[in-house]
Amino acid sequence: MFSAIRARLTLRSIRARLTFWYLLTLAVALAGFAAFVWFARARTLYSEFDAALEIRAHEVVAEFRSALLELDPAVSLAIRPTVPGMLLLVRTSRGAVVYRAPAFPPIGWAAERDLAAAAREPRASLVAVTDRARGTLRVATVLVDRPGTDRLAIQLAAPIAPVQTALRETAVTMGLAILLVLLIAAYGSSRTTRYALAPVDAIVARVREIQSSGLGERLDVRGGSAELDRLVSTLNEMLDRIEASMRVTRRFAADASHELQTPLTVMRAAVETLQREPRRAVDPAIGRDLLAEIERSSMLVRDLRLFALAEAGQVVAVREPVDVSALAEQCGEIARALGEPRQIRVDVAAPGAPVVSGSALHLRRAILNITTNAVTYSAPGSSVQIQVTASEDRAEITVRDEGCGIAAKDLPHIFEPFYRADPARARDTGGTGLGLAIADQIVRAHGGHVQVASQPGEGSTFTILLPTIPPAR
């Protein structure tokens, strides 16, 4: 139930959130300012009230000094017409009450104790007491010396209700003013956020149009600010990458279907020949061609699966320490066997023993794909060098051949699936067209990358760079 209530109270739109937080910030600021003004106003009012009360107390003492100096000041004060209506107390300096005006409200014993203590002070003082009706009184005390007897303490009281009323009115006025300001701010901020987010709505609408019409178009919306312009630029770059990825995917699907179409056509022709002449002895050449195409199709399917796993980052399930030099030696032995019929010499130089983290099986496949590619497209009697070097944080496996080389316009595309930079790189080489693409994806899955340097007619150099495991201390 609470989650449902929280979900209902959650603001969904950015416009509502911006408006809410703006109003909350403004409300807190106004409330803080109002509290400061209210306390400053209260301090001023109470100070003015106390000052006026003290002045009035001294005026009363000056006005009735003659009565206070008589032997019985209570009688003298009682006969004065204005005194009974005052909130006046007359005490001795010891605290005993000499005269209490009829208008003075009844107070409790605690208030009497505080007033008696104020009467004993050697100078005038102000105290606050509460009467029995729970009203608050401020009492000013003025001491009057009398010759030959105790001093008298004249205590004049005044209710602070007018000050409290003024403060309540101030609080109500400021509250209404804050409410009015917040209403105006809510309307203004709503309009402002709507205007500020209008480019975002335009961007969303334009993206939806692009989704429905295709990825060939781009956002031409200007946000009017550096942040929104940067967002538009980022979205356009993302659309470029998506379009390029989809173009590669379509080409990949077309190339894969084309690569599979040829062996299927050969196998279909062989089966149809057998169906037309079922009783005729089977030509061994047909069987060999059929097996060769089946093997090629199986190899292509395996390579397609491995390429898909590598591209998805799922090729390395469990990582383990791998000796790169040992892998290079193994791949060199296989390359020598492949190059021997054409007198291609394969040299391996792996003096160090750099260790990387990953899959030995797949790293061997990556190195072997590049090495096999170098042997396949090298001229008879040439050589292929495999060299392993190590630095503090990476291992380098360099494969250098003396083949036909790769043109500069083809270098950016050689790691694309089924891309052949030269017509000579055709089906009769026995490859599937995925060797370099698989090697590149495997190396990337291990946190490395492949560099290529080539000149037509001078051979090619492939360098695999892999991060190494720091040595144990």
Side-chain angles (χ1 to χ4, degrees), residues 252 301-317 362 438 441-442 445:
F252 176 78
V301 170
R302 288 195 301 269
D303 284 353
L304 286 172
R305 179 178 180 276
L306 179 58
F307 177 76
L309 290 175
E311 195 173 32
Q314 301 176 2
V315 71
V316 185
H362 292 100
I438 291 175
Q441 291 297 332
I442 289 176

Side-chain angles (χ1 to χ4, degrees), residues 98-368:
V98 175
Y99 174 77
R100 181 187 299 268
F104 199 95
I107 57 177
W109 66 270
E112 290 284 359
R113 181 193 59 198
D114 294 338
L115 293 180
R120 289 191 291 269
E121 291 294 329
R123 56 183 178 83
S125 62
L126 284 169
V127 295
V129 297
T130 304
D131 60 18
R132 295 186 182 275
R134 297 187 179 278
T136 302
L137 302 173
R138 294 286 286 176
V139 180
T141 302
V142 179
L143 299 179
V144 178
D145 293 325
R146 293 197 305 168
T149 185
D150 295 333
R151 290 181 299 179
L152 292 180
I154 311 304
Q155 296 181 326
L156 183 66
I160 64 171
V163 176
Q164 294 176 335
T165 301
L167 292 177
R168 280 195 298 269
E169 292 175 353
T170 302
V172 171
T173 301
M174 288 192 298
L176 293 176
I178 290 175
L179 181 60
L180 179 61
V181 170
L182 290 178
L183 290 176
I184 297 174
Y187 174 77
S189 62
S190 178
R191 293 291 300 271
T192 302
T193 53
R194 185 180 295 109
Y195 174 77
L197 294 176
V200 177
D201 295 334
I203 292 172
V204 172
R206 182 58 179 153
V207 170
R208 287 176 178 172
E209 292 177 3
I210 293 176
Q211 288 178 344
S212 61
S213 61
L215 294 175
E217 302 180 18
R218 292 294 178 267
L219 296 174
D220 54 0
V221 180
R222 307 310 301 173
S225 65
E227 293 80 6
L228 291 179
D229 290 343
R230 191 161 56 247
L231 173 62
V232 171
S233 176
T234 302
L235 289 175
N236 283 332
E237 292 174 0
M238 183 184 67
L239 289 173
D240 290 337
R241 291 193 296 270
I242 292 175
E243 184 182 16
S245 177
M246 292 188 66
R247 186 166 55 248
V248 170
T249 301
R250 293 191 191 100
R251 186 172 66 246
F252 176 78
D255 291 341
S257 63
H258 174 74
E259 294 290 333
L260 288 171
Q261 183 65 35
T262 301
L264 289 175
T265 301
V266 174
M267 288 187 284
R268 179 185 179 89
V271 173
E272 289 177 348
T273 300
L274 294 176
Q275 285 181 337
R276 285 196 303 268
E277 301 176 7
R279 297 183 180 181
R280 181 180 174 182
V282 178
D283 188 351
I286 296 178
R288 287 194 299 271
D289 292 343
L290 191 59
L291 286 176
E293 295 301 331
I294 291 175
E295 178 61 26
R296 174 176 170 78
S297 299
S298 299
M299 184 170 61
L300 179 59
V301 170
R302 288 195 301 269
D303 284 353
L304 286 172
R305 179 178 180 276
L306 179 58
F307 177 76
L309 290 175
E311 195 173 32
Q314 301 176 2
V315 71
V316 185
V318 179
R319 291 184 176 269
E320 58 184 3
V322 179
D323 187 344
V324 177
S325 297
L327 290 184
E329 293 285 357
Q330 296 170 12
C331 294
E333 292 294 332
I334 299 174
R336 290 190 186 96
L338 293 175
E340 186 176 356
R342 300 167 55 209
Q343 289 80 44
I344 297 176
R345 188 177 72 257
V346 178
D347 299 323
V348 179
V355 178
V356 302
S357 176
S359 169
L361 176 65
H362 292 100
L363 283 175
R364 183 186 297 108
R365 176 67 182 273
I367 299 172
L368 188 59

